[in-house]
Amino acid sequence: MSVKPTQNEALVSRILTFSCVDGPGNRLVVFLQGCNFDCITCHNPHTINHCTHCGDCVKSCPSDALSIASQQNGTQRVVWHADKCTHCDLCIDVCPDKSNPKIVRYSVDDMLALIRQHHFFLNGITISGGEATLQLPFIIALFKAVKSDSELAHLTCYIDSNGSLSRTGWERVSPYLDGAMIDLKAWQSDTHLWLVGRDKHRVIDTIDYLATQNKLHEVRLLHIPGKSDLDTEVDAVGDYLNTLPKEVKIRLNAFQHHGVIGEALTWEKCSESEMNRFHDLLFSKTNRPMQLPTIYT
Ligand code: SF4
Ligand code: SF4
């Protein structure tokens, strides 16, 4: 069975019909499955890979919500029965591939129908992930459809991204895009490579491009005490942030253990006092307002 999304179909891991932290105002947020980064600190590691339908998770389900179906071509497919699922996530815990059997395919028409149900309460939609832009043809088709629909055209269309999309990709979606939130997880390329599995050049290129297009809504900085380098490289980070338009929001995220697996669970969490130290240091270089976390776990 193909795990590849198509122009008119997306592989969706979760949908929030209301969020006020994923872009401006009230937003419907679609989390797409699949990511091209492999962050040590990922707090949703089961969104990284596509399900290979190995079947290992089926027996773990206490609610009989997973089964194996044989395909005409002789392969097997794991089927999720949403009506029986209690969302205990035991299936996710046992998956050897950092995946999730609860993936749903949505066509553009399916998604438009869902948005239409909620549009009276929404300012816009945000496509997140995983890495949203790995399913760019679907995003472009969906945003185009929203913008050309008389009932939905008032909704703003945002992307929440790790910044890895090429300049050409951003140019393709830009005519239909109102804004984007981009993560910057480290300053030095080798630190970035160690933390996420890729260097930071594409991320910087993305931030620069979106800023020139007035489509950069927010840059998110993840502070991991003693591991990331956004504090030790504060002069360079501050100088860079100062090149961005004043309207671009800066959000500081604190590393926490929720959802994290592997070695990062042994790392120190970012406390409120440590985050305030980082904030004050960065503020002394930028004099820009920055959004701080409201919850520390
Ligand atoms: S979710 Fe993981 S364990 Fe379950 S079938 Fe897919 S790859 Fe196998
Ligand atoms: S999350 Fe749903 S499908 Fe997965 S093990 Fe729990 S009940 Fe079964």
mmCIF file of all heavy atoms in Angstrom, residues 227-272:
data_model
loop_
_atom_site.group_PDB
_atom_site.id
_atom_site.type_symbol
_atom_site.label_atom_id
_atom_site.label_comp_id
_atom_site.label_asym_id
_atom_site.label_seq_id
_atom_site.Cartn_x
_atom_site.Cartn_y
_atom_site.Cartn_z
ATOM 1 N N LYS A 227 22.583 22.545 26.207
ATOM 2 C CA LYS A 227 22.620 21.700 25.010
ATOM 3 C C LYS A 227 22.517 22.529 23.725
ATOM 4 O O LYS A 227 23.296 22.332 22.805
ATOM 5 C CB LYS A 227 21.478 20.677 25.035
ATOM 6 C CG LYS A 227 21.517 19.737 26.231
ATOM 7 C CD LYS A 227 22.722 18.808 26.173
ATOM 8 C CE LYS A 227 22.724 17.830 27.337
ATOM 9 N NZ LYS A 227 23.963 17.040 27.398
ATOM 10 N N SER A 228 21.509 23.404 23.659
ATOM 11 C CA SER A 228 21.419 24.281 22.500
ATOM 12 C C SER A 228 22.419 25.420 22.700
ATOM 13 O O SER A 228 23.063 25.502 23.749
ATOM 14 C CB SER A 228 19.999 24.816 22.349
ATOM 15 O OG SER A 228 19.916 25.588 21.183
ATOM 16 N N ASP A 229 22.585 26.258 21.695
ATOM 17 C CA ASP A 229 23.599 27.312 21.813
ATOM 18 C C ASP A 229 23.007 28.701 21.598
ATOM 19 O O ASP A 229 23.720 29.648 21.339
ATOM 20 C CB ASP A 229 24.726 27.050 20.808
ATOM 21 C CG ASP A 229 24.234 27.038 19.369
ATOM 22 O OD1 ASP A 229 23.024 27.274 19.137
ATOM 23 O OD2 ASP A 229 25.050 26.798 18.464
ATOM 24 N N LEU A 230 21.679 28.812 21.720
ATOM 25 C CA LEU A 230 21.064 30.114 21.455
ATOM 26 C C LEU A 230 21.434 31.133 22.532
ATOM 27 O O LEU A 230 21.377 32.343 22.291
ATOM 28 C CB LEU A 230 19.540 29.965 21.346
ATOM 29 C CG LEU A 230 19.083 29.104 20.160
ATOM 30 C CD1 LEU A 230 17.574 28.860 20.216
ATOM 31 C CD2 LEU A 230 19.459 29.740 18.823
ATOM 32 N N ASP A 231 21.828 30.641 23.718
ATOM 33 C CA ASP A 231 22.262 31.578 24.761
ATOM 34 C C ASP A 231 23.764 31.875 24.657
ATOM 35 O O ASP A 231 24.187 33.014 24.773
ATOM 36 C CB ASP A 231 21.884 31.075 26.163
ATOM 37 C CG ASP A 231 22.430 29.683 26.489
ATOM 38 O OD1 ASP A 231 22.805 28.952 25.551
ATOM 39 O OD2 ASP A 231 22.490 29.339 27.677
ATOM 40 N N THR A 232 24.562 30.843 24.381
ATOM 41 C CA THR A 232 26.010 31.099 24.283
ATOM 42 C C THR A 232 26.360 31.868 23.006
ATOM 43 O O THR A 232 27.416 32.482 22.918
ATOM 44 C CB THR A 232 26.802 29.774 24.327
ATOM 45 O OG1 THR A 232 26.283 28.894 23.325
ATOM 46 C CG2 THR A 232 26.686 29.114 25.684
ATOM 47 N N GLU A 233 25.478 31.817 22.007
ATOM 48 C CA GLU A 233 25.686 32.560 20.753
ATOM 49 C C GLU A 233 24.764 33.778 20.707
ATOM 50 O O GLU A 233 24.347 34.211 19.627
ATOM 51 C CB GLU A 233 25.383 31.649 19.551
ATOM 52 C CG GLU A 233 26.284 30.443 19.439
ATOM 53 C CD GLU A 233 27.689 30.799 18.986
ATOM 54 O OE1 GLU A 233 27.893 31.914 18.464
ATOM 55 O OE2 GLU A 233 28.594 29.970 19.185
ATOM 56 N N VAL A 234 24.464 34.335 21.878
ATOM 57 C CA VAL A 234 23.415 35.356 21.941
ATOM 58 C C VAL A 234 23.748 36.608 21.128
ATOM 59 O O VAL A 234 22.850 37.252 20.592
ATOM 60 C CB VAL A 234 23.083 35.695 23.420
ATOM 61 C CG1 VAL A 234 24.223 36.453 24.062
ATOM 62 C CG2 VAL A 234 21.765 36.430 23.525
ATOM 63 N N ASP A 235 25.017 36.956 20.993
ATOM 64 C CA ASP A 235 25.342 38.150 20.190
ATOM 65 C C ASP A 235 24.917 37.949 18.736
ATOM 66 O O ASP A 235 24.264 38.808 18.137
ATOM 67 C CB ASP A 235 26.846 38.441 20.250
ATOM 68 C CG ASP A 235 27.258 38.993 21.609
ATOM 69 O OD1 ASP A 235 26.381 39.534 22.318
ATOM 70 O OD2 ASP A 235 28.444 38.862 21.962
ATOM 71 N N ALA A 236 25.283 36.784 18.180
ATOM 72 C CA ALA A 236 24.939 36.505 16.777
ATOM 73 C C ALA A 236 23.430 36.327 16.617
ATOM 74 O O ALA A 236 22.831 36.833 15.650
ATOM 75 C CB ALA A 236 25.670 35.248 16.300
ATOM 76 N N VAL A 237 22.803 35.624 17.555
ATOM 77 C CA VAL A 237 21.352 35.413 17.466
ATOM 78 C C VAL A 237 20.627 36.757 17.566
ATOM 79 O O VAL A 237 19.710 37.053 16.785
ATOM 80 C CB VAL A 237 20.866 34.448 18.585
ATOM 81 C CG1 VAL A 237 19.346 34.330 18.585
ATOM 82 C CG2 VAL A 237 21.504 33.067 18.415
ATOM 83 N N GLY A 238 21.048 37.583 18.504
ATOM 84 C CA GLY A 238 20.426 38.902 18.667
ATOM 85 C C GLY A 238 20.597 39.758 17.418
ATOM 86 O O GLY A 238 19.643 40.393 16.951
ATOM 87 N N ASP A 239 21.813 39.769 16.858
ATOM 88 C CA ASP A 239 22.054 40.560 15.634
ATOM 89 C C ASP A 239 21.135 40.071 14.511
ATOM 90 O O ASP A 239 20.585 40.870 13.746
ATOM 91 C CB ASP A 239 23.512 40.421 15.178
ATOM 92 C CG ASP A 239 24.466 41.227 16.050
ATOM 93 O OD1 ASP A 239 23.985 42.049 16.853
ATOM 94 O OD2 ASP A 239 25.688 40.992 15.944
ATOM 95 N N TYR A 240 20.970 38.743 14.428
ATOM 96 C CA TYR A 240 20.126 38.198 13.358
ATOM 97 C C TYR A 240 18.654 38.587 13.566
ATOM 98 O O TYR A 240 17.989 39.043 12.636
ATOM 99 C CB TYR A 240 20.262 36.673 13.285
ATOM 100 C CG TYR A 240 19.406 36.083 12.199
ATOM 101 C CD1 TYR A 240 19.642 36.415 10.862
ATOM 102 C CD2 TYR A 240 18.340 35.255 12.493
ATOM 103 C CE1 TYR A 240 18.839 35.921 9.845
ATOM 104 C CE2 TYR A 240 17.533 34.743 11.488
ATOM 105 C CZ TYR A 240 17.788 35.083 10.171
ATOM 106 O OH TYR A 240 16.987 34.602 9.169
ATOM 107 N N LEU A 241 18.174 38.429 14.780
ATOM 108 C CA LEU A 241 16.769 38.780 15.038
ATOM 109 C C LEU A 241 16.518 40.259 14.749
ATOM 110 O O LEU A 241 15.433 40.642 14.299
ATOM 111 C CB LEU A 241 16.390 38.448 16.485
ATOM 112 C CG LEU A 241 16.409 36.957 16.858
ATOM 113 C CD1 LEU A 241 16.012 36.775 18.322
ATOM 114 C CD2 LEU A 241 15.492 36.128 15.949
ATOM 115 N N ASN A 242 17.540 41.087 14.979
ATOM 116 C CA ASN A 242 17.369 42.519 14.727
ATOM 117 C C ASN A 242 17.249 42.857 13.246
ATOM 118 O O ASN A 242 16.845 43.966 12.895
ATOM 119 C CB ASN A 242 18.524 43.308 15.354
ATOM 120 C CG ASN A 242 18.376 43.384 16.858
ATOM 121 O OD1 ASN A 242 17.270 43.257 17.385
ATOM 122 N ND2 ASN A 242 19.489 43.576 17.561
ATOM 123 N N THR A 243 17.606 41.899 12.368
ATOM 124 C CA THR A 243 17.438 42.151 10.923
ATOM 125 C C THR A 243 15.996 41.901 10.486
ATOM 126 O O THR A 243 15.619 42.242 9.360
ATOM 127 C CB THR A 243 18.357 41.235 10.076
ATOM 128 O OG1 THR A 243 17.917 39.867 10.217
ATOM 129 C CG2 THR A 243 19.809 41.378 10.470
ATOM 130 N N LEU A 244 15.201 41.266 11.354
ATOM 131 C CA LEU A 244 13.827 40.912 10.969
ATOM 132 C C LEU A 244 12.883 42.081 11.253
ATOM 133 O O LEU A 244 13.097 42.843 12.204
ATOM 134 C CB LEU A 244 13.361 39.677 11.748
ATOM 135 C CG LEU A 244 14.221 38.416 11.553
ATOM 136 C CD1 LEU A 244 13.699 37.280 12.439
ATOM 137 C CD2 LEU A 244 14.235 37.992 10.087
ATOM 138 N N PRO A 245 11.828 42.208 10.436
ATOM 139 C CA PRO A 245 10.869 43.297 10.680
ATOM 140 C C PRO A 245 10.315 43.240 12.101
ATOM 141 O O PRO A 245 10.158 42.163 12.673
ATOM 142 C CB PRO A 245 9.754 43.011 9.659
ATOM 143 C CG PRO A 245 10.394 42.161 8.608
ATOM 144 C CD PRO A 245 11.461 41.365 9.287
ATOM 145 N N LYS A 246 10.017 44.409 12.648
ATOM 146 C CA LYS A 246 9.536 44.501 14.035
ATOM 147 C C LYS A 246 8.240 43.722 14.245
ATOM 148 O O LYS A 246 7.925 43.292 15.359
ATOM 149 C CB LYS A 246 9.305 45.972 14.421
ATOM 150 C CG LYS A 246 10.590 46.754 14.595
ATOM 151 C CD LYS A 246 11.316 46.352 15.873
ATOM 152 C CE LYS A 246 12.654 47.052 16.010
ATOM 153 N NZ LYS A 246 13.669 46.235 16.680
ATOM 154 N N GLU A 247 7.460 43.571 13.178
ATOM 155 C CA GLU A 247 6.155 42.900 13.321
ATOM 156 C C GLU A 247 6.319 41.399 13.556
ATOM 157 O O GLU A 247 5.379 40.726 13.990
ATOM 158 C CB GLU A 247 5.297 43.058 12.046
ATOM 159 C CG GLU A 247 5.050 44.482 11.591
ATOM 160 C CD GLU A 247 6.275 45.106 10.951
ATOM 161 O OE1 GLU A 247 6.929 44.444 10.118
ATOM 162 O OE2 GLU A 247 6.609 46.254 11.331
ATOM 163 N N VAL A 248 7.483 40.854 13.224
ATOM 164 C CA VAL A 248 7.677 39.409 13.398
ATOM 165 C C VAL A 248 7.738 39.084 14.886
ATOM 166 O O VAL A 248 8.523 39.675 15.629
ATOM 167 C CB VAL A 248 8.986 38.951 12.707
ATOM 168 C CG1 VAL A 248 9.235 37.465 12.987
ATOM 169 C CG2 VAL A 248 8.908 39.212 11.214
ATOM 170 N N LYS A 249 6.901 38.158 15.305
ATOM 171 C CA LYS A 249 6.876 37.791 16.724
ATOM 172 C C LYS A 249 8.012 36.808 17.029
ATOM 173 O O LYS A 249 8.367 35.989 16.180
ATOM 174 C CB LYS A 249 5.536 37.132 17.077
ATOM 175 C CG LYS A 249 4.363 38.076 16.918
ATOM 176 C CD LYS A 249 3.085 37.426 17.333
ATOM 177 C CE LYS A 249 1.882 38.283 17.032
ATOM 178 N NZ LYS A 249 2.012 39.685 17.368
ATOM 179 N N ILE A 250 8.528 36.915 18.223
ATOM 180 C CA ILE A 250 9.552 35.971 18.697
ATOM 181 C C ILE A 250 8.939 35.208 19.872
ATOM 182 O O ILE A 250 8.495 35.822 20.851
ATOM 183 C CB ILE A 250 10.833 36.699 19.177
ATOM 184 C CG1 ILE A 250 11.342 37.687 18.100
ATOM 185 C CG2 ILE A 250 11.902 35.681 19.559
ATOM 186 C CD1 ILE A 250 11.794 37.069 16.815
ATOM 187 N N ARG A 251 8.912 33.898 19.748
ATOM 188 C CA ARG A 251 8.376 33.068 20.839
ATOM 189 C C ARG A 251 9.507 32.209 21.401
ATOM 190 O O ARG A 251 10.236 31.550 20.645
ATOM 191 C CB ARG A 251 7.259 32.161 20.306
ATOM 192 C CG ARG A 251 6.668 31.260 21.388
ATOM 193 C CD ARG A 251 5.665 30.289 20.774
ATOM 194 N NE ARG A 251 4.469 30.966 20.339
ATOM 195 C CZ ARG A 251 3.368 31.101 21.090
ATOM 196 N NH1 ARG A 251 3.335 30.583 22.307
ATOM 197 N NH2 ARG A 251 2.325 31.726 20.619
ATOM 198 N N LEU A 252 9.651 32.206 22.704
ATOM 199 C CA LEU A 252 10.662 31.373 23.360
ATOM 200 C C LEU A 252 9.989 30.108 23.893
ATOM 201 O O LEU A 252 9.015 30.197 24.644
ATOM 202 C CB LEU A 252 11.325 32.134 24.512
ATOM 203 C CG LEU A 252 11.933 33.498 24.158
ATOM 204 C CD1 LEU A 252 12.670 34.070 25.363
ATOM 205 C CD2 LEU A 252 12.871 33.400 22.955
ATOM 206 N N ASN A 253 10.487 28.962 23.478
ATOM 207 C CA ASN A 253 9.975 27.682 23.967
ATOM 208 C C ASN A 253 10.986 27.054 24.923
ATOM 209 O O ASN A 253 12.195 27.085 24.672
ATOM 210 C CB ASN A 253 9.708 26.723 22.800
ATOM 211 C CG ASN A 253 8.475 27.134 22.013
ATOM 212 O OD1 ASN A 253 7.563 27.760 22.554
ATOM 213 N ND2 ASN A 253 8.448 26.800 20.731
ATOM 214 N N ALA A 254 10.467 26.488 26.001
ATOM 215 C CA ALA A 254 11.325 25.882 27.030
ATOM 216 C C ALA A 254 11.340 24.363 26.846
ATOM 217 O O ALA A 254 10.274 23.740 26.778
ATOM 218 C CB ALA A 254 10.801 26.235 28.421
ATOM 219 N N PHE A 255 12.535 23.781 26.763
ATOM 220 C CA PHE A 255 12.626 22.322 26.646
ATOM 221 C C PHE A 255 12.016 21.652 27.883
ATOM 222 O O PHE A 255 12.385 21.965 29.017
ATOM 223 C CB PHE A 255 14.091 21.897 26.491
ATOM 224 C CG PHE A 255 14.287 20.413 26.618
ATOM 225 C CD1 PHE A 255 13.743 19.545 25.684
ATOM 226 C CD2 PHE A 255 14.986 19.876 27.692
ATOM 227 C CE1 PHE A 255 13.902 18.168 25.810
ATOM 228 C CE2 PHE A 255 15.150 18.503 27.820
ATOM 229 C CZ PHE A 255 14.600 17.652 26.878
ATOM 230 N N GLN A 256 11.089 20.728 27.641
ATOM 231 C CA GLN A 256 10.459 19.953 28.717
ATOM 232 C C GLN A 256 10.517 18.476 28.330
ATOM 233 O O GLN A 256 10.857 18.146 27.187
ATOM 234 C CB GLN A 256 8.996 20.398 28.907
ATOM 235 C CG GLN A 256 8.829 21.880 29.211
ATOM 236 C CD GLN A 256 9.382 22.287 30.573
ATOM 237 O OE1 GLN A 256 9.032 21.688 31.586
ATOM 238 N NE2 GLN A 256 10.255 23.280 30.605
ATOM 239 N N HIS A 257 10.147 17.602 29.230
ATOM 240 C CA HIS A 257 10.245 16.164 28.958
ATOM 241 C C HIS A 257 8.987 15.555 28.353
ATOM 242 O O HIS A 257 9.026 14.417 27.888
ATOM 243 C CB HIS A 257 10.578 15.409 30.253
ATOM 244 C CG HIS A 257 12.008 15.586 30.674
ATOM 245 N ND1 HIS A 257 12.520 15.053 31.827
ATOM 246 C CD2 HIS A 257 13.038 16.256 30.090
ATOM 247 C CE1 HIS A 257 13.800 15.367 31.945
ATOM 248 N NE2 HIS A 257 14.138 16.109 30.907
ATOM 249 N N HIS A 258 7.878 16.289 28.342
ATOM 250 C CA HIS A 258 6.610 15.712 27.882
ATOM 251 C C HIS A 258 6.730 15.133 26.462
ATOM 252 O O HIS A 258 7.095 15.841 25.520
ATOM 253 C CB HIS A 258 5.516 16.792 27.898
ATOM 254 C CG HIS A 258 4.216 16.303 27.396
ATOM 255 N ND1 HIS A 258 3.428 15.414 28.094
ATOM 256 C CD2 HIS A 258 3.575 16.520 26.219
ATOM 257 C CE1 HIS A 258 2.361 15.129 27.388
ATOM 258 N NE2 HIS A 258 2.421 15.790 26.246
ATOM 259 N N GLY A 259 6.457 13.853 26.323
ATOM 260 C CA GLY A 259 6.450 13.202 25.006
ATOM 261 C C GLY A 259 7.816 12.783 24.489
ATOM 262 O O GLY A 259 7.927 12.057 23.507
ATOM 263 N N VAL A 260 8.872 13.264 25.139
ATOM 264 C CA VAL A 260 10.238 13.016 24.656
ATOM 265 C C VAL A 260 10.632 11.564 24.935
ATOM 266 O O VAL A 260 10.216 10.976 25.942
ATOM 267 C CB VAL A 260 11.204 13.998 25.370
ATOM 268 C CG1 VAL A 260 12.658 13.628 25.123
ATOM 269 C CG2 VAL A 260 10.920 15.421 24.913
ATOM 270 N N ILE A 261 11.424 10.976 24.038
ATOM 271 C CA ILE A 261 11.949 9.632 24.266
ATOM 272 C C ILE A 261 13.470 9.676 24.128
ATOM 273 O O ILE A 261 14.024 10.621 23.571
ATOM 274 C CB ILE A 261 11.355 8.597 23.270
ATOM 275 C CG1 ILE A 261 11.623 9.028 21.823
ATOM 276 C CG2 ILE A 261 9.867 8.398 23.503
ATOM 277 C CD1 ILE A 261 11.192 7.989 20.783
ATOM 278 N N GLY A 262 14.152 8.641 24.652
ATOM 279 C CA GLY A 262 15.597 8.527 24.432
ATOM 280 C C GLY A 262 16.432 9.411 25.336
ATOM 281 O O GLY A 262 16.006 9.828 26.416
ATOM 282 N N GLU A 263 17.655 9.725 24.837
ATOM 283 C CA GLU A 263 18.650 10.376 25.696
ATOM 284 C C GLU A 263 18.202 11.745 26.209
ATOM 285 O O GLU A 263 18.637 12.166 27.297
ATOM 286 C CB GLU A 263 20.003 10.514 24.965
ATOM 287 C CG GLU A 263 20.048 11.625 23.934
ATOM 288 C CD GLU A 263 21.475 11.929 23.458
ATOM 289 O OE1 GLU A 263 22.188 12.711 24.091
ATOM 290 O OE2 GLU A 263 21.832 11.377 22.408
ATOM 291 N N ALA A 264 17.346 12.441 25.473
ATOM 292 C CA ALA A 264 16.947 13.782 25.901
ATOM 293 C C ALA A 264 16.147 13.759 27.207
ATOM 294 O O ALA A 264 16.030 14.788 27.882
ATOM 295 C CB ALA A 264 16.139 14.484 24.800
ATOM 296 N N LEU A 265 15.644 12.566 27.566
ATOM 297 C CA LEU A 265 14.930 12.448 28.845
ATOM 298 C C LEU A 265 15.880 12.625 30.033
ATOM 299 O O LEU A 265 15.436 12.880 31.148
ATOM 300 C CB LEU A 265 14.250 11.075 28.951
ATOM 301 C CG LEU A 265 12.865 10.958 28.312
ATOM 302 C CD1 LEU A 265 12.379 9.529 28.399
ATOM 303 C CD2 LEU A 265 11.886 11.913 28.978
ATOM 304 N N THR A 266 17.188 12.454 29.781
ATOM 305 C CA THR A 266 18.162 12.636 30.869
ATOM 306 C C THR A 266 18.641 14.087 30.958
ATOM 307 O O THR A 266 19.404 14.429 31.851
ATOM 308 C CB THR A 266 19.397 11.724 30.667
ATOM 309 O OG1 THR A 266 20.092 12.138 29.469
ATOM 310 C CG2 THR A 266 18.998 10.264 30.534
ATOM 311 N N TRP A 267 18.221 14.913 29.985
ATOM 312 C CA TRP A 267 18.686 16.299 29.972
ATOM 313 C C TRP A 267 17.871 17.140 30.950
ATOM 314 O O TRP A 267 16.692 16.872 31.203
ATOM 315 C CB TRP A 267 18.545 16.914 28.569
ATOM 316 C CG TRP A 267 19.402 16.267 27.530
ATOM 317 C CD1 TRP A 267 20.301 15.238 27.710
ATOM 318 C CD2 TRP A 267 19.424 16.581 26.145
ATOM 319 N NE1 TRP A 267 20.884 14.907 26.518
ATOM 320 C CE2 TRP A 267 20.367 15.716 25.530
ATOM 321 C CE3 TRP A 267 18.756 17.498 25.342
ATOM 322 C CZ2 TRP A 267 20.644 15.746 24.178
ATOM 323 C CZ3 TRP A 267 19.025 17.549 23.985
ATOM 324 C CH2 TRP A 267 19.965 16.682 23.419
ATOM 325 N N GLU A 268 18.525 18.193 31.407
ATOM 326 C CA GLU A 268 17.860 19.120 32.323
ATOM 327 C C GLU A 268 16.709 19.834 31.609
ATOM 328 O O GLU A 268 16.862 20.312 30.478
ATOM 329 C CB GLU A 268 18.899 20.157 32.794
ATOM 330 C CG GLU A 268 18.395 21.207 33.725
ATOM 331 C CD GLU A 268 19.413 22.345 33.888
ATOM 332 O OE1 GLU A 268 20.581 22.167 33.465
ATOM 333 O OE2 GLU A 268 19.032 23.389 34.408
ATOM 334 N N LYS A 269 15.567 19.904 32.280
ATOM 335 C CA LYS A 269 14.444 20.669 31.737
ATOM 336 C C LYS A 269 14.734 22.162 31.892
ATOM 337 O O LYS A 269 15.522 22.552 32.754
ATOM 338 C CB LYS A 269 13.162 20.336 32.490
ATOM 339 C CG LYS A 269 12.664 18.937 32.257
ATOM 340 C CD LYS A 269 11.245 18.758 32.754
ATOM 341 C CE LYS A 269 11.209 18.441 34.213
ATOM 342 N NZ LYS A 269 9.857 18.066 34.698
ATOM 343 N N CYS A 270 14.091 22.964 31.095
ATOM 344 C CA CYS A 270 14.269 24.417 31.209
ATOM 345 C C CYS A 270 13.274 24.956 32.238
ATOM 346 O O CYS A 270 12.068 24.929 32.000
ATOM 347 C CB CYS A 270 14.055 25.086 29.854
ATOM 348 S SG CYS A 270 14.260 26.859 29.920
ATOM 349 N N SER A 271 13.788 25.431 33.351
ATOM 350 C CA SER A 271 12.923 25.967 34.409
ATOM 351 C C SER A 271 12.486 27.393 34.054
ATOM 352 O O SER A 271 13.052 28.033 33.156
ATOM 353 C CB SER A 271 13.686 25.998 35.729
ATOM 354 O OG SER A 271 14.769 26.910 35.608
ATOM 355 N N GLU A 272 11.537 27.886 34.807
ATOM 356 C CA GLU A 272 11.066 29.251 34.563
ATOM 357 C C GLU A 272 12.188 30.267 34.805
ATOM 358 O O GLU A 272 12.355 31.215 34.043
ATOM 359 C CB GLU A 272 9.861 29.546 35.458
ATOM 360 C CG GLU A 272 9.217 30.876 35.135
ATOM 361 C CD GLU A 272 7.873 31.052 35.819
ATOM 362 O OE1 GLU A 272 7.488 30.174 36.611
ATOM 363 O OE2 GLU A 272 7.227 32.082 35.539
#
